[in-house]
Amino acid sequence: MAEKRVVKEDGETYTAGSRRPDGTFRKERRVKAGYVPQEEVAVYQTKAAKFAREVASLPPAGYAPSVSAASAETATSSMSKAQRKNEKRKQKRKEKVEDDGHGAGPDVEGATSRMEAVSFTEKAEASTKTTSSSSGVDTGALEKRLKALRKKMRQIEDLEKKQREGGKLEKEQLEKITMKEDVLDEIFAVETALKN
C-alpha cells in the first residue's frame, strides 16, 4: 500500500495520517527525501534464488518439442544400457503383434535357441555338482565326506608326529591312529566314486 506524501512549506516531506483497520488514527510522520516504506522495498534475492527462478521457467533438460527421426537416434545413444534393453524389448513386442502370431521372426528364434543352449549347459553343470548322472549318487555328499576324511587324515598325521616327538597321547588319540588304514581305504573309495 503506497503512502500519501505531503510536502509542507518548510520543504519537509511527511507521510499523511491515516486510519487503521481498528478505527484508530495514525498521525503524520516526517520522512527524509528518498525514503521508501518497508512494504514497498523489493525483497532481496540471492544469486542462487534468481538462478533457480530462471531455471524453473526453462523447459526440462533434453526436452525437444518436435522430435525427428535423426534426433530420436541420438536420444537412444544417450540412454543407459537398461533403457536401451527395454526399448529393444518394446520393439520386439511391437513386431510380434504386427506378425499376428504367424511365427516368431528369425532374430527371436535365434535368441530363443541361444537361451535354451545356455540353460541346458547351466543345468548340466549344476547337475554334475549335485548328482552323478550314471550312478545316481549325490556328488555333493561325496565331496563333503571326502573333505571330512581328509581332515581326519590330517589329524591322524598330526597325532603320529606328536607321538614321534615323544608327546604323551590319550587312549582316544591312540585309537584314532589305529584307524589310519580304514580312513585311507575310504578316501580311495570316495575318490573313485567321484571320478565315475
Side-chain angles (χ1 to χ4, degrees), residues 40-184:
E40 295 177 13
V41 174
V43 177
Y44 176 76
Q45 291 184 345
T46 62
K47 289 181 181 179
K50 289 178 184 175
F51 179 74
R53 192 169 1 104
E54 290 174 9
V55 169
S57 65
L58 296 174
Y63 172 74
S66 60
V67 178
S68 64
S71 63
E73 290 176 9
T74 58
T76 57
S77 65
S78 65
M79 287 193 281
S80 70
K81 187 177 180 181
Q83 288 173 330
R84 286 192 299 264
K85 187 178 177 183
N86 289 336
E87 191 65 33
K88 286 180 183 179
R89 286 180 181 165
K90 287 179 186 176
Q91 290 293 333
K92 285 184 179 181
R93 278 191 222 124
K94 285 181 184 178
E95 291 171 4
K96 190 174 183 179
V97 169
E98 289 172 4
D99 289 343
D100 293 327
H102 296 296
D107 294 336
V108 176
E109 290 174 0
T112 306
S113 64
R114 286 193 300 271
M115 289 294 290
E116 289 173 358
V118 168
S119 64
F120 284 133
T121 56
E122 288 175 358
K123 288 178 185 174
E125 289 173 2
S127 66
T128 57
K129 288 181 181 176
T130 56
T131 58
S132 175
S133 58
S134 61
S135 62
V137 178
D138 188 12
T139 57
L142 287 175
E143 289 174 354
K144 193 173 183 180
R145 179 68 182 148
L146 183 63
K147 186 177 177 182
L149 289 170
R150 287 183 177 157
K151 181 180 178 183
K152 193 178 258 189
M153 196 60 206
R154 280 192 305 272
Q155 291 171 345
I156 291 171
E157 289 170 353
D158 290 343
L159 290 173
E160 287 176 337
K161 183 179 177 183
K162 187 176 179 181
Q163 190 178 30
R164 278 192 306 261
E165 292 174 354
K168 191 171 186 180
L169 299 178
E170 295 180 11
K171 182 180 176 185
E172 293 85 14
Q173 292 174 325
L174 292 170
E175 288 176 5
K176 195 171 203 176
I177 291 175
T178 59
M179 295 172 42
K180 182 177 181 179
E181 293 301 318
D182 297 333
V183 172
L184 284 172

